[in-house]
Amino acid sequence: DVIQGDTASLQVIPDSYLGPIFRVRQGQHVRIHFVNELAEESIVHWHGLILPEAMDAHPHYAIAPGETYVYDFQVINRAGTYWYHPHPHGATATQVYNGLAGLFIVSDDEETAVGLPSVDYDIPLVFQDRTFDADNQLVYITGGMMTQMMTEMMGFLGDNILVNGKPAFELDVETRAYRLRLLNGSNFRILKLGWEDSTPLTVIGTDGGLLEAPLERPYITLSPGERVELWVDFNGRTVGSQLLLKSLPFTGVEMGGTLMGGMEMPETTTLPHGEETIVLKVNVVQESTEALTLPERLSTIQRYTLSDAINADAPRTFEIAMLNEVWSLNGRSFEMDAVADDEIVQANTLEVWEFVNVVNEGETTAMEGGHGGHDMENMGNGEVKTEDQMAHPMHIHGVQFQILERTVDDAFREGWETVRAGYVDDGWKDTVLLMPGECVKLLMRFGSDPGLYVFHCHNLEHEDLGLMRNYRVQ
Ligand code: C2O
Ligand code: CU
Ligand code: CU
């Protein structure tokens, strides 16, 4: 309910479990009452927004059943497609799965001046995979203890891909240009989105808003937490025609069918990761005379340069690994209030961070030094165990970052080649996919608010299983 202010700032998606879409302008002040009517603790995080610690909602702010938490903040982010979801430690995956999530769309003057499709042609599309039982009720992890444990370790995959909370989603369009805002709100499933007729996709925005200029991609690789905005012009299509958006085949994101100790992975979904499937049907239903041209310039992005980073010569490195059956960053799993020496940053400074997705359970010595880098050769008998690696979409609270570079180890190149043409690394990002064997360097400027923020894998089962750490801005 809008208690005060413009009623258009909350848009309810009809017949959907998703939360309402917040629509605000940059600079606007918002107050939001979060009332916890669950039987367990919860707290809501505003994914992508730059906020002080208590508004960003670090998991230690989780409130008990029956309590209320009042958010009161100014939106300083530029125009973009942000979102919200709960963040209580250990229960994020189940709460999001059961329906707690929604979009938070910010607009600003720069964006308004570009002349993009107006609100009726600006379509949010939230992708989430879900499994239903015979009574059409949501089912989360099932099976015996072993299956449950393994699914928690890997991530949950649903049998159906829902769009805006609906299976077999269809979108009726006119023969004109649209702005589509895509969010992958799945717990674990990575999508590789492409048109069935191979029409390239025109990308206009990423996690943190509009790109400088439109880009083309043959398909879009969208991992959990990431957003992308598309310009799609149906002008020239015939009324009555239908266009399918698919998730195209890809490989290499999961441990190769076995888990630690060579145990066979149980089959938990009818739609395995990377299998081709239709995610959306577009029906061209009406002629339109409104012709819009794709703008050549979309926004201005201040580019960071590596030499301006205070640690330009020594990136802050975080290695992702499975240790003693929990996920870890530099050998540590999430601890509610702990901050290690290499997790402290200075307010208002530009830093380069590096995430490294190459380390295997038990075989690494790289952790002890905390700065192992690409020590693939140091492991065990010198061989890379490719089958234990998984993809991790890494997300950092409190910043929007720029992607500086990616490298991939040759042992993992095959799977990487099936998704990498769909990366959009050119704009502002808050979540970045690391395929197995991949290293990603990021440049980011920390805000001026001191406090405790988290960074974590946005595979929500991984996050709940400890693939999250604090960093402190001081
Ligand atoms: Cu969208 Cu810490 O998460
Ligand atoms: Cu976030
Ligand atoms: Cu992960």
Side-chain angles (χ1 to χ4, degrees), residues 45-48 56 83-87 92 225 395-397 430-431 454-456 458 460 463 468:
H45 164 62
W46 312 94
H47 182 128
D56 182 73
W83 66 299
Y84 61 94
H85 60 79
H87 220 297
T92 297
H395 168 54
I396 310 175
H397 286 213
D430 54 49
T431 308
V454 292
F455 62 108
H456 58 88
H458 222 287
L460 299 181
E463 174 186 339
M468 171 157 73

Side-chain angles (χ1 to χ4, degrees), residues 38-57:
L38 298 176
E40 60 192 60
E41 60 171 32
S42 190
I43 192 72
V44 170
H45 164 62
W46 312 94
H47 182 128
L49 296 189
I50 312 295
L51 296 169
E53 178 195 298
M55 298 296 113
D56 182 73

Side-chain angles (χ1 to χ4, degrees), residues 50-52 76 346-349 398 445-451 453 473-474:
I50 312 295
L51 296 169
I76 64 167
Q346 307 301 316
N348 304 309
T349 56
R445 188 179 298 283
F446 298 101
S448 47
D449 291 308
Y453 297 86
V473 179
Q474 62 182 28

Side-chain angles (χ1 to χ4, degrees), residues 172-191:
D172 290 349
V173 299
E174 301 171 22
T175 57
R176 52 158 291 150
Y178 281 76
R179 175 183 191 171
L180 304 184
R181 301 176 188 252
L182 280 49
L183 158 69
N184 185 342
S186 305
N187 284 27
F188 172 37
R189 186 181 294 279
I190 295 163
L191 298 167

